[in-house]
Amino acid sequence: MSQLSRWTLVGVLATVVGTIAFILQADAAVEGDGLAAFDPQLTQAFFDHRSAALSKVAQAVTFFGEIPVLTAATVIVAVLLRIVTRRWRPTAVLAAGMAGSAILTSVLKLVIGRHRPDSSFMLGAIINGFSFPSGHTLSGTCFFLLLAGLLWRSHAARGLKIGGTVIAVVLSIAMGLSRVYLGYHWATDVVAGWTMALTWLCLLATAIHLIGRRRDNGLNPRPVDRDDIRDRGGSIP
């Protein structure tokens, strides 16, 4: 099996598995069974263990997942990527990844239509929109992991790449936990946000891989097989 086929297969399988997992999570959220059956207890547990220090940390983390903040960060980083790398591809990848996450969040919330926890659990402004999946978690995870992925595509030191990836994962987890802690989402909203973020990034990575291979094949066409031409009765220059 060629390298192209292997990477494509892995990407497609990961996307399919992620999609199935998300569908199962959505079904559980709608029916109130499966993992979603534990949502009330988990929300209450987070509520019971609140403290002034933890609340400040959670509010600081969730701030970076707000739409205006994340949008501004995406634009700034996209511009910096263009300036530093002098290439459009990293900028386009970041823009496509974040645009896709925003569209997925809006569409899935409307389709599933799950309501948030009671406003008495919310630590901050009251929000009445739909909750599944968590938009902060989905978009925040996409943003952090896209930056980690672009870092791995750079010429940075290996230690920096590993450190950047660890930070991206920690921030993604912290973003999701902060939404449950602050009472704006059920735990399964957050899990679904992580699941869809990873699924979308797998699909995006697979598409980028295929586009890159097609472009490379176009620039370096397959050498002419003289034996094949002779077998077809053609002339060899």
Side-chain angles (χ1 to χ4, degrees):
M1 184 181 291
S2 67
Q3 184 179 16
L4 172 61
S5 298
R6 287 197 300 270
W7 280 110
T8 302
L9 180 59
V10 170
V12 170
L13 285 177
T15 302
V16 170
V17 170
T19 301
I20 294 173
F22 181 85
I23 292 173
L24 293 175
Q25 292 163 10
D27 179 71
V30 172
E31 298 295 333
D33 56 12
L35 293 177
F38 300 97
D39 278 338
Q41 296 94 314
L42 289 172
T43 296
Q44 187 64 51
F46 274 88
F47 182 83
D48 293 339
H49 289 82
R50 283 177 179 172
S51 68
L54 284 176
S55 296
K56 289 182 179 179
V57 172
Q59 289 171 331
V61 172
T62 206
F63 171 77
F64 289 100
E66 298 289 344
I67 293 177
V69 176
L70 204 54
T71 300
T74 299
V75 172
I76 292 172
V77 173
V79 172
L80 290 176
L81 284 172
R82 170 58 185 163
I83 295 174
V84 172
T85 65
R86 297 182 180 180
R87 299 169 58 213
W88 283 108
R89 184 174 181 179
T91 298
V93 169
L94 179 63
M98 295 309 297
S101 70
I103 293 171
L104 284 169
T105 298
S106 298
V107 172
L108 292 172
K109 281 180 181 290
L110 289 174
V111 170
I112 297 168
R114 188 189 197 189
H115 294 290
R116 296 177 183 272
D118 187 80
S119 60
S120 61
F121 288 105
M122 298 181 184
L123 186 59
I126 304 301
I127 299 178
N128 296 314
F130 294 130
S131 69
F132 190 99
S134 166
H136 279 66
T137 304
L138 200 164
S139 295
T141 300
C142 282
F143 181 75
F144 299 134
L145 295 186
L146 277 168
L147 294 186
L150 291 171
L151 182 61
W152 277 95
R153 297 288 295 176
S154 71
H155 298 292
R158 184 176 180 82
L160 181 60
K161 294 177 179 179
I162 295 174
T165 302
V166 171
I167 292 173
V169 172
V170 170
L171 288 175
S172 298
I173 294 173
M175 181 67 73
L177 294 179
S178 74
R179 301 307 288 167
V180 181
Y181 178 92
L182 295 173
Y184 289 107
H185 283 284
W186 304 106
T188 45
D189 298 341
V190 169
V191 173
W194 287 326
T195 300
M196 183 48 63
L198 293 175
T199 302
W200 165 235
L201 292 179
C202 284
L203 178 61
L204 181 63
T206 302
I208 292 171
H209 176 69
L210 288 172
I211 292 172
R213 294 291 298 197
R214 177 173 293 183
R215 182 196 60 189
D216 292 342
N217 290 337
L219 294 175
N220 302 289
R222 184 172 63 88
V224 175
D225 190 329
R226 292 174 174 267
D227 292 334
D228 183 59
I229 294 176
R230 184 180 293 110
D231 293 340
R232 294 170 180 265
S235 60
I236 301 176

